[in-house]
Amino acid sequence: MSGTRTPLSVSYSASHAVRERDQLVALHHALIEVERASTLEARLRVLVHAIRGIGFGRVIISVRDDDMNTTHVVSTGLSLDEERVLRTEATPGHVWRRRLEELGRFQISQSYYLDSRDAWIAWEFNDALPSHATPRPDGWASRDSLFVPLRGSNHRIVATLLLDDPVDGERPSISRVQTVELFGQQVAAIIERARLQDGQDAERRQSEALAEVTRAVSESLDLDEVMRLILAHARALMRADGATISTLCEGELEVVATNGDGDRILGARLPVEGSLSGRAMREATFMICNDAPSANGVFHQTRITAAVERVVCVPLLTARGPVGVLSVFNRDRDFTEDDARVLFRLADSVAVTLVNARLFDELQVATRAQQALAERYRNLVESAADAIFTLDPQGRLSSVNRSLEEGLEIPRARLLGMGFAELVDARDHAKAESLFRQTMSGKNTRGELRWLGQSSEPRYGAATTAPIIEDGQVTGALIIVRDTTEERRLTEQLMQQEKLAAVGQLVSGVAHELNNPLASVLAFTQLLLAGDSPLAPDQGQALETIQQEAKRAARIVGNLLTFARQHQPERTITDLNRVVTDTLELRLYGLRLQQVEVEVELDQELPLTWADPFQLQQVVLNLLVNAEQALASWNGPKRLFLRTSRRKKLLFIEVSDTGPGIPTENRSRIFNPFFTTKPVGEGTGLGLSISDGIIREHNGAIRVSSQPGQGARFVIELPHVPC
């Protein structure tokens, strides 16, 4: 890694100034064209040509993932053979990571000049495309290039820019490199926006698909209709060519529903042993194969018929075990574990639909079947994951299954003979009575009720009812109940997350709008203070006050932007005192409105530690908001204390208040997910649960002490990790 480099020219002449002006004008025009382009490819191609226009013969933008592997390439100035080599023989991401660690001595501004006269560069980049430019003794050599990492808002590299063949044949000056970096910043911003939009679109599509599937499962008794809907969504979400559902039949898997290219194998049978679908069902986990033609364990008869190249299979799981497989195959990129997790959520709905549909049909037949078949159907009912029971004409329970016993935590002996209304929350008695009356009139009905058990809180369940008909007369009602409590909680959580995301975007936009006038206020205040004309004492004091308050406002805006911006979890050097003060500044106005007296005691000797400051800020903010809400309706003293300290190898953050405290019976439950004492719509019960999880990930703990009427004290305990 030895060698010498000719010093770079940093002279700045009038011609340089004119060239830089023209380049900035070119950038302005390019950005106008970028706004008109509708795709990421088109936008990047506009910037590639704009960069080429400022004096480089070859320009290559390589979009990269988190592992620095190339995912997309846009270039100009390359031959067809060079384009092919660039796309098929891309350097692996781990090689680029190693190179970046060694490139420090070649750095110009935020970029790197890869000088092929250096022995290490010549050896490390010996596979680089040769330049078309004529080499000059002190200029650009035949294998030189300018390498520009393009970083996103989180400082991660999202793409790289490689420049070659300068028109003037000269080594790049710092001013020229900085001009290129201006273009690069726009490229990084475009890629980040595209990724953010893609992520939001994918989340929206998944949420809409799952909502529609859940609604269909609850509302439709047509098994074929539900399976067709699920396959259509599975194929659309994965952007795949085909999808199938296979169910276990006589020891084999039979393809019973298809979509797209899957239609070619409708009705086909696959062995449980010797097929990828069979393995997914046997092992009750997902299977991914992105090279099916050469893979072992693939059933090649159906693979060849459907031309399967890539495939992901997930099992359909019930309380009694797997009953089938959902498969999606063929698209233009590899399937991932994230895809499998999305399909698992759809597979759960398929499994519920299969079990419910089969049980519903079989149980209706069972009421008219011979006595010899009664035991078989009783076993089916007993093994169902959903609660199933029957009512006599007076609305009393005449039979129940094990799931109802376990769900309500009431023994079967007590359940038999109980009235239907006794199982339901008093608020839903009228709805339960209506469902029963409609069923006894011969109608199939459905509705959601709150069910009571031995626990204090009711649970939500979707009830499907059907009349029991004997000799042409309705003699009772059959009811199947699926517990929807967790689904409702997840839906509420999703809505809360969407609200928080919207608030974050609003805060970010407002903060950006405030920055400009604040900058003007600060600038003009400084000009007045630094002016030649003497100021009266009261005028000078007033200007200094304006300057101090404007700086404070700018600091608050900066904190809002930092908090509203999305961050990937990442440990870094962290000042706990700074975390506390920045977070307090976000809530200081609200605390003042509530007339809460705040006392802050920070250990100025507190050492820096290795942690995620944004996650810790979220924890402190949760504790501050909880304390503020507790004090809002408190008639006693309203005081809030924030302290930091250190004992041996532990660092502490304490948040305490003089509010009403935490009831003894709730103290052991406050960190449980979804537990909240706030009114509906004012809390999700996730704040302390998420905070506890964050601190546990930092190998720390949150401790709470409280007495009713004497306030609450939360202490965050973190190990000191030297930086």
Side-chain angles (χ1 to χ4, degrees):
M1 294 175 59
S2 61
T4 58
R5 293 180 292 166
T6 304
L8 297 171
S9 172
V10 295
S11 61
Y12 193 87
S13 62
S15 62
H16 283 88
V18 172
R19 184 171 64 184
E20 283 194 6
R21 181 202 63 193
D22 294 342
Q23 291 169 353
L24 291 175
V25 170
L27 173 59
H28 174 72
H29 289 306
L31 292 179
I32 294 175
E33 291 297 319
V34 163
E35 291 300 321
R36 295 173 180 168
S38 59
T39 65
L40 176 62
E41 170 78 15
R43 291 171 180 171
L44 293 181
R45 196 156 293 283
V46 169
L47 287 172
V48 160
H49 288 293
I51 296 172
R52 187 182 186 189
I54 66 173
F56 290 94
R58 292 193 299 197
V59 181
I60 302 169
I61 294 177
S62 300
V63 181
R64 300 185 181 275
D65 60 19
D66 290 341
D67 295 323
M68 283 292 288
N69 292 311
T70 302
T71 60
H72 189 68
V73 176
V74 178
S75 61
T76 185
L78 275 67
S79 67
L80 292 177
D81 286 340
E82 290 172 338
E83 288 268 6
R84 180 187 57 78
V85 170
L86 188 65
R87 284 168 168 77
T88 60
E89 301 177 15
T91 303
H94 67 87
V95 174
W96 277 111
R97 286 184 178 277
R98 175 178 56 77
R99 287 174 174 176
L100 282 169
E101 294 176 357
E102 305 290 341
L103 286 177
R105 61 195 182 94
F106 302 98
Q107 186 168 356
I108 312 173
S109 185
Q110 303 300 317
S111 306
Y112 305 91
Y113 177 54
L114 306 183
D115 186 352
S116 61
R117 295 175 181 84
D118 182 276
W120 181 81
I121 291 289
W123 174 80
E124 181 68 33
F125 294 87
N126 62 350
D127 57 347
L129 297 175
S131 173
H132 296 163
T134 302
R136 295 170 54 179
D138 293 323
W140 196 285
S142 63
R143 287 188 179 271
D144 288 5
S145 57
L146 181 63
F147 175 70
V148 186
L150 308 180
R151 301 180 184 274
S153 59
N154 58 1
H155 301 295
R156 291 182 181 272
I157 294 176
V158 298
T160 55
L161 176 61
L162 200 65
L163 306 177
D164 193 4
D165 286 356
V167 174
D168 56 13
E170 296 180 358
R171 294 175 173 233
S173 65
I174 290 179
S175 61
R176 192 174 190 185
V177 170
Q178 289 173 340
T179 301
V180 170
E181 288 172 350
L182 280 176
F183 282 80
Q185 290 172 8
Q186 301 304 317
V187 174
I190 289 170
I191 293 171
E192 267 204 324
R193 286 199 300 269
R195 287 180 175 176
L196 178 61
Q197 186 62 47
D198 288 345
Q200 291 174 342
D201 290 345
E203 286 290 335
R204 177 182 53 77
R205 288 195 300 271
Q206 290 178 22
S207 298
E208 291 174 351
L210 289 170
E212 186 173 354
V213 167
T214 300
R215 186 166 54 252
V217 170
S218 299
E219 295 177 356
S220 177
L221 299 178
D222 187 337
L223 177 61
D224 292 337
E225 177 187 346
V226 173
M227 288 197 296
R228 284 195 297 270
L229 176 65
I230 290 173
L231 286 176
H233 280 304
R235 183 181 165 206
L237 287 174
M238 298 296 104
R239 301 181 185 274
D241 296 337
T244 65
I245 292 175
S246 307
T247 58
L248 192 60
C249 179
E250 298 178 351
E252 293 182 308
L253 284 170
E254 181 180 0
V255 181
V256 297
T258 59
N259 187 278
D261 289 348
D263 293 345
R264 302 175 188 174
I265 55 174
L266 179 63
R269 293 206 169 195
L270 295 78
V272 174
E273 298 284 345
S275 67
L276 199 66
S277 296
R279 184 181 173 189
M281 193 183 74
R282 293 196 319 272
E283 298 181 11
T285 187
F286 64 84
M287 292 292 160
I288 296 174
C289 180
N290 288 310
D291 188 15
S294 60
N296 294 324
V298 175
F299 188 56
H300 289 286
Q301 181 176 336
T302 52
R303 183 199 67 76
I304 294 171
T305 303
V308 177
E309 300 290 334
R310 298 181 174 93
V311 62
V312 54
C313 306
V314 297
L316 309 179
L317 303 176
T318 71
R320 300 287 291 178
V323 295
V325 178
L326 169 63
S327 302
V328 176
F329 61 90
N330 288 0
R331 67 178 185 185
D332 57 4
R333 65 184 188 281
D334 288 349
F335 289 107
T336 66
E337 291 187 9
D338 287 339
D339 297 324
R341 280 188 281 271
V342 172
L343 290 178
F344 251 125
R345 299 175 70 181
L346 289 174
D348 287 342
S349 296
V350 179
V352 169
T353 303
L354 284 171
V355 172
N356 282 355
R358 289 175 178 176
L359 287 174
F360 202 90
D361 292 342
E362 292 174 355
L363 287 172
Q364 279 193 314
V365 172
T367 60
R368 299 185 298 268
Q370 299 177 2
Q371 188 65 33
L373 298 177
E375 184 64 22
R376 173 191 174 192
Y377 296 131
R378 190 188 71 81
N379 290 335
L380 285 172
V381 172
E382 285 296 308
S383 64
D386 291 342
I388 301 175
F389 57 96
T390 58
L391 301 175
D392 63 20
Q394 287 72 42
R396 295 188 297 264
L397 274 71
S398 55
S399 66
V400 301
N401 73 340
R402 185 182 300 110
S403 294
L404 184 65
E405 284 186 274
E406 294 173 352
L408 298 180
E409 300 176 348
I410 301 176
R412 184 175 307 213
R414 284 184 53 197
L415 284 171
L416 294 175
M418 289 180 61
F420 181 31
E422 295 179 60
L423 307 181
V424 179
D425 188 280
R427 292 168 290 182
D428 290 338
H429 279 177
K431 186 186 296 185
E433 180 64 26
S434 174
L435 287 175
F436 178 65
R437 285 199 309 271
Q438 291 182 58
T439 306
M440 292 304 294
S441 68
K443 297 179 181 178
N444 290 348
T445 61
R446 55 177 35 86
E448 190 170 61
L449 302 172
R450 282 164 284 199
W451 301 84
L452 296 175
Q454 297 292 357
S455 59
S456 59
E457 296 181 3
R459 296 185 66 82
Y460 288 88
T464 302
T465 74
I468 299 174
I469 301 175
E470 297 177 353
D471 299 327
Q473 299 293 321
V474 177
T475 60
L478 169 68
I479 300 180
I480 301 175
V481 180
R482 181 168 56 88
D483 192 327
T484 60
T485 306
E486 294 304 320
E487 292 179 14
R488 290 177 62 91
R489 287 177 175 173
L490 290 174
T491 300
E492 291 172 0
Q493 181 182 357
L494 178 62
M495 293 174 62
Q496 185 69 12
Q497 289 174 342
E498 291 175 349
K499 290 178 182 177
L500 290 175
V503 170
Q505 293 175 357
L506 178 62
V507 168
S508 180
V510 171
H512 277 299
E513 291 298 323
L514 287 175
N515 264 334
N516 292 333
L518 283 174
S520 300
V521 170
L522 282 170
F524 283 112
T525 304
Q526 290 172 352
L527 286 174
L528 290 172
L529 287 171
D532 296 332
S533 303
L535 299 171
D538 57 339
Q539 292 177 328
Q541 185 177 1
L543 287 173
E544 289 176 357
T545 301
I546 292 172
Q547 186 181 43
Q548 290 173 359
E549 292 303 309
K551 287 181 178 179
R552 178 173 172 273
R555 187 168 63 253
I556 293 174
V557 168
N559 287 342
L560 283 173
L561 279 173
T562 300
F563 187 74
R565 189 177 294 122
Q566 293 183 355
H567 300 277
Q568 293 294 327
E570 182 178 9
R571 305 287 174 91
T572 186
I573 298 172
T574 301
D575 182 351
L576 294 186
N577 285 344
R578 177 69 178 274
V579 169
V580 171
T581 55
D582 286 353
T583 308
L584 176 61
E585 196 143 10
L586 292 174
R587 297 303 308 168
L588 204 53
Y589 178 73
L591 290 167
R592 287 173 178 166
L593 286 180
Q594 298 293 345
Q595 296 181 339
V596 177
E597 181 182 346
V598 180
E599 294 187 16
V600 181
E601 296 180 13
L602 302 180
D603 184 350
Q604 300 304 323
E605 302 298 324
L606 202 67
L608 301 178
T609 188
W610 191 254
D612 188 325
F614 301 107
Q615 287 189 330
L616 294 182
Q617 186 180 40
Q618 183 180 355
V619 173
V620 175
L621 185 63
N622 281 337
L623 297 180
L624 281 176
V625 170
N626 285 348
E628 179 184 341
Q629 292 175 345
L631 291 168
S633 58
W634 179 241
N635 294 325
K638 295 184 178 183
R639 301 179 70 189
L640 177 64
F641 303 91
L642 284 166
R643 299 183 180 90
T644 60
S645 59
R646 178 188 185 186
R647 290 196 294 276
K648 296 182 179 180
K649 295 183 179 181
L650 295 176
L651 307 178
F652 298 90
I653 301 175
E654 178 185 332
V655 180
S656 58
D657 62 70
T658 60
I662 303 171
T664 304
E665 64 272 15
N666 292 340
R667 206 171 305 148
S668 61
R669 306 167 62 196
I670 58 175
F671 293 108
N672 293 345
F674 303 109
F675 176 77
T676 180
T677 59
K678 298 172 185 175
V680 175
E682 293 187 15
T684 63
L686 293 172
L688 287 178
S689 174
I690 292 172
S691 299
D692 184 52
I694 290 172
I695 298 303
R696 288 179 185 273
E697 287 177 3
H698 284 75
N699 297 318
I702 301 181
R703 310 192 188 283
V704 58
S705 58
S706 176
Q707 292 295 329
Q710 298 181 21
R713 178 173 176 263
F714 288 83
V715 178
I716 301 170
E717 178 183 298
L718 294 168
H720 175 226
V721 182
C723 303

